[in-house]
Amino acid sequence: MFKVQSMRADNSHIINHEYKSFTFPGGEIHPTLEVSNKIEYNKSKVVIEARLNSGNDIIELLMLNNIIDKNFKGFEKELKLYYTMFSRQDRAANIGEAESLKVFCNLINSMNFDKVITFDNHSDVANALLNNNEEVTQLDLVKRAIPIPSEYDYVISPDAGANKKTLKVAQYLEIPVIQADKTRDTLTGEITGTVVYADWQTIGQTKVLIVDDICDGGRTVIEIAKILKEKGVDTINCFFTHGIFSKGYDVLFNSGIDKIFTTNSFDTPEDDRIIKINI
């Protein structure tokens, strides 16, 4: 999904440009952008908001960028990238694999944006590879959703990769962090085990917040939630920056999770148990 706006450099006088595309029977994408109604003003910019979820979306962005380069000459050009694809593939883990994130970032860089705004990238490698990147961090987004003092007793870090970000959230909320961990088969991606490093004498009858950047199928937090419920935790809420929810939502709530905070980087349903944060 794409949205295009042009505006003055001070973000005033915003114009929304109609955008549409269709796909030919042979598979070719054909995008068009209304460009006649644009600001003729020195020091103006054009902003593309992009939700990329497939290879076709990347091709469509390349074509849209071509339209903008031809019709908005002299404008500052900004990309708002809701989800940085391939961040979970930031290196070749096995022989014969591609450096997928590097390939993706090279494509974004080839479009020569003056600024690329991203949101809680899964890997710091993305921040290093993307030119002119300005990241909105996980902590920035948590602050929008959860004021202090909070109602939580603990923050749960779901795995070793999340520890650094989760510690910042815990410091903001001024509560302790509990670490969890998992083992995963790098060839199949299957989780083979889950452990929560908690003092079970004190964690009962508490309210906890599990924080992670991405929830895909949810297997990691489902296993953690089951363990926490078995140990007597009263309330389990989750904060996910990017809620893919490829296995649906019932599997999460059925595991003992009570409420989910997530951004609108992906489409989420209307549900009283899901609190959406617009970015």
Side-chain angles (χ1 to χ4, degrees), residues 4-38:
V4 179
Q5 296 179 319
S6 64
M7 62 197 72
R8 291 177 178 166
D10 61 1
N11 294 328
S12 67
H13 197 66
I14 298 172
I15 296 175
N16 292 304
H17 296 271
E18 182 181 3
Y19 175 77
K20 56 188 177 181
S21 69
F22 67 87
T23 303
F24 287 106
E28 300 91 344
I29 299 167
H30 184 75
T32 57
L33 180 68
E34 172 54 54
V35 298
S36 60
N37 183 23
K38 64 182 180 182

Side-chain angles (χ1 to χ4, degrees), residues 94-227:
N94 300 287
I95 295 173
E97 294 181 348
E99 295 175 293
S100 304
L101 178 59
K102 184 177 182 180
V103 173
F104 173 77
C105 290
N106 284 343
L107 285 171
I108 298 298
N109 292 339
S110 73
M111 291 180 267
N112 297 313
F113 290 102
D114 297 287
K115 182 189 292 186
V116 178
I117 300 173
T118 57
F119 298 87
D120 190 12
N121 292 321
H122 180 73
S123 171
D124 286 338
V125 176
N127 298 333
L129 290 175
L130 283 170
N131 294 339
N132 304 318
N133 179 39
E134 191 174 288
E135 184 192 27
V136 179
T137 68
Q138 183 182 79
L139 180 58
D140 295 330
L141 296 167
V142 169
K143 286 180 178 179
R144 296 185 194 181
I146 303 172
I148 52 173
S150 77
E151 55 189 331
Y152 299 102
D153 300 296
Y154 297 98
V155 175
I156 310 293
S157 175
D159 54 37
N163 285 345
K164 187 161 76 170
K165 291 181 183 178
T166 308
L167 180 59
K168 291 179 181 179
V169 173
Q171 290 171 339
Y172 160 69
L173 296 177
E174 299 181 343
I175 55 177
V177 61
I178 292 174
Q179 295 183 359
D181 212 346
K182 62 189 175 187
T183 55
R184 188 189 292 273
D185 187 317
T186 60
L187 289 174
T188 65
E190 183 179 354
I191 296 172
T192 56
T194 302
V195 61
V196 180
Y197 302 102
D199 179 356
W200 301 118
Q201 305 257 329
T202 60
I203 200 172
Q205 298 182 323
T206 58
K207 186 168 188 175
V208 303
L209 179 70
I210 303 174
V211 179
D212 209 354
D213 57 348
I214 298 172
C215 180
D216 194 330
R219 174 73 184 277
T220 299
V221 294
I222 287 170
E223 295 304 317
I224 292 171
K226 288 178 180 177
I227 293 171

